[in-house]
Amino acid sequence: MSPVVLTRQGPALWARIDRAGRGNACGSDVMAGLEEWLAGAADPGVRVLVLTGTGRSFCAGADLTEATGLLGDPPALRAFLDRGRRLVRQIRAAAVPTIAAVNGAAFGGGLELLLACDIAVAAGSARVGDRHIAAGQVPGWGSSVLLPLAVGPAAARRLLITGETWTAQEAARRGLVSEVVADAELTGHVDTLAGRIAALDPAAVRRMLRVARPVDTDAAWARERETLDEHVAAQARPETE
């Protein structure tokens, strides 16, 4: 069974990451499920894509067990990391609006999936943070590119460098999520929001996405990838500095 459950709710196609025992970590099988979710936007009846998680996590990050198991196979590890980066960029370029229904913890790669979406609504118990530095890692799926666009350079640097986490309320105050609702109301609230968006003129919505989405640059993405490649290579040998 796929660890991503796809559900059609009227004009919205929901993807629910269902690996609660692993914090909904994003491994290759989750990426495959999310790629299928994105492909669903080709259906003209799908006007909105919604991403959420099962249990207490939205997504706790990339699947470190899978990534660590690839350390001895650099090409395979690079392919895994590149696939995640490509997935985030594909979400950002989706043909229809995307909503993150942040039901719980969103750390590392989970934060990057949140950042990829056009709108993020958080449950009151949700917690968010980059957290790469806390694990001795650096971002690879876009935190360094997208976080400053979402919350400003100063707040982004603090979150990236300290590894601290924000409550849902702090994330809303910083502009990382648009609003916070009670846990029990999250699904219904996002479903209503998706319905409101779906009722709008689809051609106008597509054009609005073109001007409303924050602009990033290939250079910024390349800098993040180069830094990650350097960090991964350094982990494979003793540091000399």
Side-chain angles (χ1 to χ4, degrees), residues 102 122-128 166-174 177 179-181:
V102 188
S125 65
R127 298 292 183 272
V128 300
W166 288 345
T167 64
Q169 293 73 24
E170 178 70 6
R173 187 178 75 81
R174 299 281 191 174
V177 302
E179 57 191 317
V180 180
V181 300

Side-chain angles (χ1 to χ4, degrees), residues 37 49 67 146 199 209 236:
W37 168 65
L49 296 172
L146 304 179
L209 290 176

Side-chain angles (χ1 to χ4, degrees), residues 112-138:
E112 289 162 322
L113 290 174
L114 182 164
L115 288 165
C117 293
D118 296 307
I119 300 172
V121 179
S125 65
R127 298 292 183 272
V128 300
D130 181 73
R131 302 292 293 163
H132 281 100
I133 196 69
Q137 300 298 324
V138 296

Side-chain angles (χ1 to χ4, degrees), residues 2 7 16 213:
S2 171
T7 306
R16 177 171 55 84
R213 285 172 170 161

Side-chain angles (χ1 to χ4, degrees), residues 9 22 47 53 57 91 95-96 103 111 134 173 187 204 237 241:
Q9 294 185 205
R22 299 288 301 278
R47 300 287 184 85
S57 288
I91 295 172
V96 299
N103 58 294
L111 174 65
R173 187 178 75 81
T187 299
R237 64 179 187 274
E241 299 179 342

Side-chain angles (χ1 to χ4, degrees), residues 41-136:
D43 182 339
V46 173
R47 300 287 184 85
V48 182
L49 296 172
V50 181
L51 177 61
T52 193
T54 298
R56 299 176 63 182
S57 288
F58 172 73
C59 174
D63 188 333
L64 295 182
T65 299
E66 180 174 354
T68 301
L70 297 173
L71 285 175
D73 186 350
L77 178 58
R78 178 183 286 269
F80 173 81
L81 296 172
D82 284 350
R83 187 178 186 183
R85 183 183 303 109
R86 187 165 57 250
L87 173 65
V88 168
R89 300 195 77 176
Q90 287 171 339
I91 295 172
R92 282 180 52 72
V96 299
T98 53
I99 304 174
V102 188
N103 58 294
F107 299 144
L111 174 65
E112 289 162 322
L113 290 174
L114 182 164
L115 288 165
C117 293
D118 296 307
I119 300 172
V121 179
S125 65
R127 298 292 183 272
V128 300
D130 181 73
R131 302 292 293 163
H132 281 100
I133 196 69

Side-chain angles (χ1 to χ4, degrees), residues 89 145 216-226:
R89 300 195 77 176
V145 180
D216 56 46
T217 66
D218 288 338
W221 285 93
R223 180 184 62 183
E224 184 182 88
R225 176 178 176 171
E226 289 165 5

